[in-house]
Amino acid sequence: MINQADVDFYKENGYLLVRGVFSQQEVGEMRTALDGILNRAAQSKFDSNATWQGDYLPPDQLKKLVLKGFHDVQYQDAAFTRAAIHANMAAVLSQLIGPNVQLHHSKMLVKPPENGAAFPLHQDAPYFPHATHSMLAASVHLDDSDMENGCLCVIPGSHKNGMMPHVGRHYLDHREYPITMATPCPAQAGDVLFFNYLTIHGSDINRSTRNRRNVLFQYRDPMDLPTADVHVNWGQGLMVCGENPTYREYHANYTLQAK
Ligand SMILES: O=C(O)CCC(=O)C(=O)O
């Protein structure tokens, strides 16, 4: 899927867009699976709007925004289990992370038309810091995305600067790091944007009449251990066949123990 020049690009820039990782048929299956999760969540007590709160937008604008941001989609539908371990994904991951790759968690990021939520620029590392920074996100595009419908944007090379102070662990100071300073990464359905968890990234509001549906998988080298007892999730509960008939949240109850 990728060559040494791509690996070098990732190392230098902290991100890599890989085209056509998933076929249009596979994208279709994931869209259907995602609709199923949205429907089951809507009928449960766990339905919610996951739009990031904060001072990065005026309150009247922020309150109109919607994000369906449910976690661990592989617990809900086996289409995402297949995606998480897809041969093309594995081929890229083993070149970017190494021969051993472990799923840390996943989430769906559905920005509905016209009022789909924004993500102010941030790193993912403060949410789940690890010792050797092997962690990366693989954001699978289920729709064509561009600046109009809030595509992902990155600051190339920013992963080299280590972990930075975030406002309440959420995002960087938006006055110093406006979304406009990042490089847009437009992509097509089936493409995957890989970016290191230290790479500064974010996305703008979906102002278009189109959906912007992404599913993001976080992976790491299993030898890269967490340095804080946060977001601990060893990947238990994978759906291997069929669907989870009721929408329910699952949380691992692990604590870190020093040996
Ligand atoms: O999908 C997006 O637009 C951004 C998602 C993101 O930055 C995150 O979940 O950390």
Side-chain angles (χ1 to χ4, degrees):
M1 271 257 113
I2 60 170
N3 57 31
Q4 189 55 45
D6 295 321
V7 176
D8 293 344
F9 182 94
Y10 173 79
K11 283 192 183 144
E12 190 55 29
N13 294 286
Y15 75 101
L16 181 70
L17 179 65
V18 184
R19 302 275 182 193
V21 173
F22 292 95
S23 70
Q24 292 313 300
Q25 188 186 331
E26 289 162 341
V27 167
E29 282 169 14
M30 284 188 270
R31 286 180 183 158
T32 304
L34 201 138
D35 285 346
I37 297 175
L38 285 173
N39 289 336
R40 295 195 292 279
Q43 288 159 26
S44 78
K45 61 180 180 194
F46 299 109
D47 199 11
S48 63
N49 180 356
T51 300
W52 282 16
Q53 299 304 305
D55 65 352
Y56 64 95
L57 284 172
D60 58 325
Q61 202 173 346
L62 198 59
K63 73 172 184 234
K64 291 183 192 145
L65 299 183
V66 175
L67 175 77
K68 291 296 172 185
F70 305 128
H71 275 67
D72 292 316
V73 288
Q74 74 278 9
Y75 297 174
Q76 308 298 335
D77 196 298
F80 298 113
T81 312
R82 288 191 288 278
I85 61 164
H86 192 283
N88 290 342
M89 284 280 256
V92 177
L93 291 167
S94 60
Q95 283 184 266
L96 299 186
I97 294 180
N100 303 320
V101 177
Q102 186 175 50
L103 179 68
H104 183 261
H105 70 275
S106 73
K107 60 185 165 183
M108 55 193 258
L109 297 145
V110 174
K111 295 182 178 197
E114 280 155 18
N115 57 356
F119 284 86
L121 289 180
H122 65 281
Q123 298 171 308
D124 288 337
Y127 288 91
F128 31 84
H130 279 60
T132 59
H133 308 314
S134 67
M135 185 86 75
L136 62 73
S139 189
V140 179
H141 292 75
L142 301 186
D143 293 298
D144 294 354
S145 77
D146 50 33
M147 278 307 278
E148 269 191 8
N149 67 347
C151 69
L152 272 155
C153 303
V154 298
I155 299 189
S158 52
H159 64 305
K160 291 183 178 170
N161 299 331
M163 207 145 49
M164 300 168 65
H166 283 55
V167 180
R169 213 158 60 84
H170 266 305
Y171 54 87
L172 296 164
D173 186 330
H174 65 100
R175 288 164 293 256
E176 213 181 324
Y177 291 91
I179 189 75
T180 47
M181 78 187 280
T183 304
C185 298
Q188 291 172 341
D191 296 347
V192 179
L193 184 72
F194 295 84
F195 55 93
N196 186 266
Y197 83 158
L198 286 169
T199 303
I200 297 173
H201 63 281
S203 59
D204 210 342
I205 297 171
N206 179 3
R207 296 188 169 87
S208 76
T209 52
R210 294 168 284 136
N211 243 320
R212 203 233 63 178
R213 294 166 291 188
N214 283 45
V215 174
L216 185 153
F217 298 94
Q218 289 277 357
Y219 300 95
R220 67 177 172 199
D221 182 329
M223 297 302 282
D224 185 5
L225 296 181
T227 55
D229 193 4
V230 286
H231 214 304
V232 177
N233 183 330
W234 301 122
Q236 72 288 354
L238 282 180
M239 290 291 298
V240 179
C241 291
E243 64 173 38
N244 194 333
T246 54
Y247 182 82
R248 218 176 280 139
E249 288 187 342
Y250 292 94
H251 294 287
N253 195 19
Y254 289 110
T255 50
L256 282 181
Q257 290 180 344
K259 286 211 168 166

